[in-house]
Amino acid sequence: MEPQAKQGTSTENDAQQGALEPKSSPSSPRNVADFYRVKPVLDRRIHILGIGSVGRFIAHSLRGIPNPPPITLLFHRPRMLKLWDEASQELRIITDGSSEKRGGFDVELAFARPRFHGHEIPLQDDFSDPSAQRPSESKDASPQLSEGESTEPINTLIVCTKMPHVLSALSSVRHRLHPESVILFMQNGMGIVEKVNKEIFPDPETRPHYMLGINSHGMNVNPDDPFSATHAGFGTISLGLMPHERDQKPAPYAPGLQFKPGGSNTEPIATDAAHAPDPYPGLKSPGPPGFRWTPYNRYLLRTLLRTPVLCATAFSPPDLLQLQLEKLAVNCIVNPLTVLLDARNGTILYNYYLTRTMRLLLSEISLVIRNLPELQYIPNVQQRFDPGRLETMVVGVAHKTRDNISSMLADVRAGRQSEIDYINGWIVKRGEMMGVRCVMNYMLLQIVKGKAGMIQWEIGEDVPFVEGKPGEDGVQIRGEPSSN
Ligand SMILES: CC(C)(CO)[C@@H](O)C(=O)[O-]
């Protein structure tokens, strides 16, 4: 497949698009045909990685707008590609019982590269043939590709995989992403950008641009159809562009900066208690954000904003961070408690024992959030993340989604890895960095992991019954000789 051959062209006359243009010489041709021949047009193709319910919903929605962008769905497994080829090659979204099919998607294979302790691990494609190597990272960073995998550049990527699988999924397309690409992360929980920077794009010079999205649409998958999803709850998508480290300029008048007479010119000293020397050297102090529009982050944002069914809105990075933290506080309560109780979201309401539990957890969550150094220069953070306000939010969401199975409960029941490390685990980790010991969140984290492990064991240990053949009585245990 040659995705580039299928790409559309943009008619947007975007001044920023000039960033992609080669420098024109005074003798550059001026007539229209030559202009289009010389000027590379913006690549409108959007790639989607992670074709679960949210990936299907976004892909389907984008294909429904006037002048839709070309969309490439990236499948991890050849089996999915085969199922797609055998099916109608359409995505179906069911809303209020009415189903709408849309086609016109391109598909590609991008094998997820499993990772272990921060490194890709080579796996065999075919376990019966140990000589057949799965793609893996090689020392010279030029990836080994499997048959069917593309090397075409990806300019615009939306990552909809669940949090625990983002790194292995992104590893499969790392060789196709470049410093001007934009990646939109659509995960629940916190901390993905830091992980991706550490493990996938450690060098800021070659790192793509990032956007973050918070989804509140309720989506359900249909177990018997891998290419459909049910739009169960109408929500919104909040979007924000992340400032890039390459664009950060040193802030000469950052609050609290002074220079010692005769001392090092770059070493800050404290001017007052509120602006004491940075206790978190890894975290940036809020200098001018140094934000830069690029052709692809502008294009992706515009395209998502003009897709009505997504109800997408754009926010500044500090506003988006606060929205993420509000969602985190809700998820820190609803998700693990519904796992422990093995019950729907509404169960945590009108039960004073559970209200007490919620309040104890929220006191730690609120303390951590209100002391995050990245929020210290934002007004009203103390009120916005007050435990009482957070409790009202949790109760509101639990009530609104009272008949839903939380995403964490669904993952744990199915024996999948949950997102708890990026939810309560993130609170515990950030608390540790600030000297706040979040013992209740820590305990909840351990119990949820314990319960998930228990269910994974049970699934693994399942006695594999096979149905009796016609005429045989009862069931037979696989591998055991038949009793009759
Ligand atoms: C808020 C929430 C718990 C509602 O179902 C949702 O974020 C989820 O399922 O993760």
Side-chain angles (χ1 to χ4, degrees):
M1 175 176 309
E2 288 176 7
Q4 293 297 305
K6 295 194 193 115
Q7 284 168 6
T9 55
S10 170
T11 51
E12 286 180 50
N13 186 11
D14 190 334
Q16 288 294 329
Q17 213 167 292
L20 291 183
E21 292 173 34
K23 294 255 176 300
S24 62
S25 69
S27 59
S28 291
R30 278 280 161 249
N31 74 56
V32 172
D34 285 342
F35 172 82
Y36 281 107
R37 215 166 285 138
V38 169
K39 184 182 160 100
V41 281
L42 188 85
D43 168 18
R44 299 181 65 235
R45 181 167 298 271
I46 296 177
H47 290 76
I48 300 187
L49 189 58
I51 318 298
S53 59
V54 176
R56 286 172 217 169
F57 172 57
I58 294 180
H60 184 274
S61 308
L62 287 172
R63 283 303 294 172
I65 60 178
N67 187 21
I71 304 279
T72 299
L73 309 175
L74 296 165
F75 290 125
H76 296 319
R77 289 186 295 257
R79 199 176 70 87
M80 288 303 286
L81 204 60
K82 189 164 171 276
L83 283 176
W84 176 264
D85 286 339
E86 287 166 2
S88 61
Q89 303 179 5
E90 288 169 313
L91 291 179
R92 187 164 63 98
I93 296 292
I94 302 138
T95 313
D96 285 339
S98 69
S99 141
E100 192 174 0
K101 283 187 174 179
R102 267 184 204 139
F105 299 97
D106 297 307
V107 290
E108 279 178 22
L109 205 53
F111 284 109
R113 271 52 166 189
R115 300 181 72 82
F116 192 65
H117 288 286
H119 296 284
E120 283 175 21
I121 48 169
L123 265 191
Q124 269 97 53
D125 232 349
D126 175 359
F127 290 94
S128 61
D129 175 8
S131 62
Q133 289 289 306
R134 272 281 299 269
S136 70
E137 85 189 328
S138 65
K139 290 218 162 39
D140 61 3
S142 52
Q144 291 173 13
L145 300 178
S146 254
E147 205 189 317
E149 284 196 311
S150 170
T151 54
E152 294 291 343
I154 293 179
N155 298 307
T156 310
L157 176 69
I158 304 180
V159 182
C160 300
T161 41
K162 287 255 184 179
M163 209 43 132
H165 308 296
V166 170
L167 296 180
S168 56
L170 209 49
S171 296
S172 69
V173 289
R174 177 178 43 185
H175 60 286
R176 302 175 63 183
L177 293 158
H178 54 83
E180 289 304 308
S181 305
V182 58
I183 308 175
L184 165 61
F185 293 102
M186 289 294 308
Q187 286 65 39
N188 245 341
M190 304 290 292
I192 193 58
V193 165
E194 293 74 12
K195 286 219 172 222
V196 170
N197 283 350
K198 188 166 164 238
E199 295 201 18
I200 312 282
F201 299 112
D203 180 5
E205 290 309 311
T206 53
R207 185 178 295 160
H209 292 264
Y210 301 144
M211 278 171 71
L212 290 177
I214 311 171
N215 171 46
S216 69
H217 291 278
M219 301 301 307
N220 297 330
V221 287
N222 306 315
D224 38 321
D225 181 356
F227 305 117
S228 81
T230 303
H231 192 183
F234 297 103
T236 60
I237 294 185
S238 308
L239 296 166
L241 294 152
M242 294 293 98
H244 197 296
E245 214 171 298
R246 277 201 302 272
D247 304 327
Q248 299 286 311
K249 297 190 183 65
Y253 303 113
L257 275 189
Q258 268 192 6
F259 298 97
K260 287 182 195 157
S264 149
N265 252 7
T266 51
E267 197 183 330
I269 58 168
T271 50
D272 56 50
H275 298 133
D278 190 357
Y280 313 98
L283 295 167
K284 285 248 170 302
S285 70
F291 176 74
R292 181 171 66 93
W293 283 103
T294 71
Y296 291 112
N297 67 25
R298 176 184 294 237
Y299 165 69
L300 180 60
L301 189 63
R302 277 184 181 177
T303 308
L304 292 165
L305 294 181
R306 76 178 179 95
T307 305
V309 62
L310 297 179
C311 281
T313 322
F315 292 89
S316 69
D319 285 338
L320 193 83
L321 174 63
Q322 292 177 84
L323 291 172
Q324 275 185 298
L325 291 167
E326 283 176 348
K327 180 154 195 229
L328 180 81
V330 172
N331 284 340
C332 275
I333 306 297
V334 180
N335 286 3
L337 290 186
T338 53
V339 170
L340 297 194
L341 301 166
D342 195 25
R344 290 177 192 270
N345 296 352
T347 322
I348 66 167
L349 300 168
Y350 316 114
N351 180 325
Y352 196 60
Y353 303 102
L354 297 176
T355 303
R356 276 192 188 130
T357 312
M358 183 194 307
R359 286 183 181 163
L360 287 168
L361 289 164
L362 282 175
S363 64
E364 289 180 354
I365 294 163
S366 165
L367 188 62
V368 170
I369 295 179
R370 289 195 292 174
N371 285 290
L372 287 173
E374 55 268 46
L375 296 186
Q376 292 316 300
Y377 301 93
I378 300 175
N380 296 332
V381 163
Q382 299 305 316
Q383 291 76 11
R384 185 163 177 172
F385 294 98
D386 169 84
R389 181 169 180 273
L390 294 182
E391 185 183 327
T392 309
M393 291 187 71
V394 172
V395 170
V397 173
H399 179 72
K400 216 171 148 201
T401 62
R402 59 192 173 276
D403 297 326
N404 294 4
I405 302 281
S406 76
S407 54
M408 194 176 284
L409 176 56
D411 286 341
V412 169
R413 277 183 177 173
R416 292 187 294 259
Q417 208 180 329
S418 82
E419 297 182 313
I420 189 97
D421 280 327
Y422 304 87
I423 299 178
N424 303 73
W426 189 86
I427 290 288
V428 171
K429 202 172 83 196
R430 293 307 303 268
E432 267 167 20
M433 289 170 75
M434 296 186 289
V436 178
R437 302 185 76 185
C438 300
V439 288
M440 281 162 295
N441 279 275
Y442 183 77
M443 190 175 79
L444 202 54
L445 176 70
Q446 304 311 313
I447 303 179
V448 167
K449 287 185 161 196
K451 176 147 190 189
M454 198 182 89
I455 293 175
Q456 279 162 10
W457 254 81
E458 278 171 11
I459 292 175
E461 296 270 291
D462 233 356
V463 181
F465 288 115
V466 287
E467 300 241 322
K469 293 195 193 85
E472 276 177 4
D473 278 342
V475 291
Q476 181 200 340
I477 297 177
R478 203 185 292 150
E480 301 264 314
S482 166
S483 52
N484 41 335

